[in-house]
Amino acid sequence: MRRSLITAVAVASLAAPLALATAGTAAAAPTPPKAPVTDFNHDGYADLAISAPGHYNTDEPGSVSVVYGSANGPDKAHAVTISRDTAGVPGSAADGGHFGGQTAASDLDGDGYTDLVVNGGEKAVVLWGSAQGLSGRGSVELDSNGARVTAGDFNGDGKGDLVTAEYPEPEDPMDNDDAGMTIAYGPFQKDGKAASTQRVVTSQTFGPGDFVAGDVTGDGIDDIVSSHGFEEMAHKSQLWKGGKDGVATTSQKLAPSLGGAVADVDGDGYGDFVTRDIGTNFEDMPYQKGTVLVRYGSASGLSDRSAKITQDSAGVPGVGEDGDEFGSSITAGDVNGDGFADIAVGVPGEDIETTADAGSVVILKGARTGLSGTGAQAFDQSKPGIPGASEKGDKFGSTVLLSDTNKDGKADLTVGAPAEDGTHADTGAVWHLRGSASGVTTTGIDSFGPAAVGSPDKAGVSFGAFLAH
């Protein structure tokens, strides 16, 4: 059996999934892309969907906790946890574990409420947004299992679309060995049916291992970056342009990468691709210091203008050491309200003093000159004002998300540490730090584990393993 990048990243996605950002509208002259708000109850505050899918080597059925935004940030008192056993959700926990192993947020039916796609089991589930938020009521299964599901607007009609790494196998295996992706275009019906679908061949044999969506070309239509590999070898990533007639069937070839975000870090109106530069061998990733690669957008795609940032770059806190994995998770948002997208970079393998793999997060600031280490910030559990303590193997920063949960015009930082020990080993936890005019601040910081939001509190649930976008 062939082993594609889908297989290679499946295990990692439960422990350290990738964060990503999508983009918004543009006129004839490009305007800065805007990340859509994940707002399940349409009150204007960004909401959080926090997965607890269980560690990959457990049979944990998994769940997703929805924490609504408010003027004071995440409102834990009114959080709701949804699993396969929730009333109205199709199937049961016995149908397959790790519910919430990956999620995607978008308004799929065009009613103004963000919906949530949750994979885990034989078929992915759509939880419909409403004035009351998310529940199991009316939820439906999709036709697919939602492999590497990612949301965007790939034909510019204002309706949410989905892309997955699913592609039909040929009836006769001797015909070809094509691999590809499937784009399901909205609006979706309440039975989960898409308005139309498109299948795109991405390569021979080496199918997509993940997707990053966002508007690179400034035309108001999201594009797709797909990552590829086979066995231990990483192959070229590819940029697929979105368009009014759907996604292009030819691509721009890029350096191998995994995960990332598309956001306008230099304010020129084009989305820039910020990703982890992984080299050519996936097996090397856990041992790498880590490098963040920026490829700047243009009207024709990703330009040759680029930059690389490490912990050894000027202004970046810390020192690059083997195993740090700087860039293991990446998310974009404007933390200080200056109009430039900033980047949160997870460094889950960072040693804090003598504590191995305690983890940290670095904030890189966008500016007219582009992304750099100027004004960068770093946070870990040993920093003053941050709850908890740096412990071996916490992997703080395994997941990161920038979103404006208190609607003050500045993105707040949510950090996941699914290996954090709470009442039990590896129950996981998240931290929420507010954005401000000076950047991310510990003022008003919050930290909580699964019990605080009604999620199962037991060993290995890995709360915070994925944060929906």
Side-chain angles (χ1 to χ4, degrees), residues 6-57:
I6 298 176
T7 304
V9 302
V11 168
S13 70
L14 292 176
L18 305 168
L20 38 102
T22 56
T25 59
T31 57
K34 295 179 180 179
V37 177
T38 296
D39 187 1
F40 303 119
N41 56 5
H42 197 55
D43 63 357
Y45 298 96
D47 305 320
L48 302 176
I50 305 168
S51 293
H55 196 259
Y56 72 90
N57 62 2

Side-chain angles (χ1 to χ4, degrees), residues 97 143 162 212 299 329 386 402 431:
D143 291 333
L162 299 174
V212 178
S329 54
I386 297 185
L402 288 173
W431 288 254

Side-chain angles (χ1 to χ4, degrees), residues 25 53 77 89 138 152 170 196 209 212 273 299 304 428 446:
T25 59
V89 176
S196 63
V212 178
F273 180 44
D304 291 334
D446 193 10

Side-chain angles (χ1 to χ4, degrees), residues 106-118:
S106 182
D107 181 8
L108 299 177
D109 57 357
D111 64 356
Y113 299 96
T114 302
D115 311 305
L116 186 68
V117 179
V118 186

Side-chain angles (χ1 to χ4, degrees), residues 284-448:
D284 292 341
M285 290 170 55
Y287 313 104
Q288 292 174 343
K289 296 179 180 180
T291 300
V292 169
L293 171 66
V294 187
R295 283 283 299 268
Y296 290 92
S298 72
S300 59
L302 291 171
S303 70
D304 291 334
R305 180 186 168 214
S306 66
K308 290 186 178 182
I309 302 172
T310 71
Q311 285 188 283
D312 297 319
S313 298
V316 178
V319 176
E321 298 173 313
D322 291 342
D324 280 351
E325 293 198 84
F326 180 79
S328 178
S329 54
I330 289 173
T331 182
D334 185 0
V335 302
N336 53 11
D338 65 355
F340 299 98
D342 307 306
I343 302 295
V345 180
V347 198
E350 178 85 345
D351 295 347
I352 305 301
E353 296 181 352
T354 59
T355 305
D357 298 336
S360 71
V361 175
V362 172
I363 305 294
L364 302 174
K365 303 292 179 60
R368 184 68 63 190
T369 54
L371 196 68
S372 72
T374 302
Q377 300 174 275
F379 300 92
D380 60 67
Q381 290 188 74
S382 293
K383 289 285 194 301
I386 297 185
S390 295
E391 297 173 316
K392 182 179 179 180
D394 277 351
K395 298 285 188 175
F396 181 87
S398 291
T399 53
V400 288
L401 173 67
L402 288 173
S403 64
D404 188 6
T405 59
N406 61 358
K407 202 169 60 173
D408 67 352
K410 301 172 183 65
D412 310 306
L413 172 65
T414 304
V415 180
E420 175 82 2
D421 293 343
T423 308
H424 308 281
D426 296 342
T427 54
V430 299
W431 288 254
H432 186 265
L433 295 79
R434 298 187 179 187
S436 73
S438 59
V440 174
T441 176
T442 57
T443 301
I445 191 173
D446 193 10
S447 175
F448 53 93

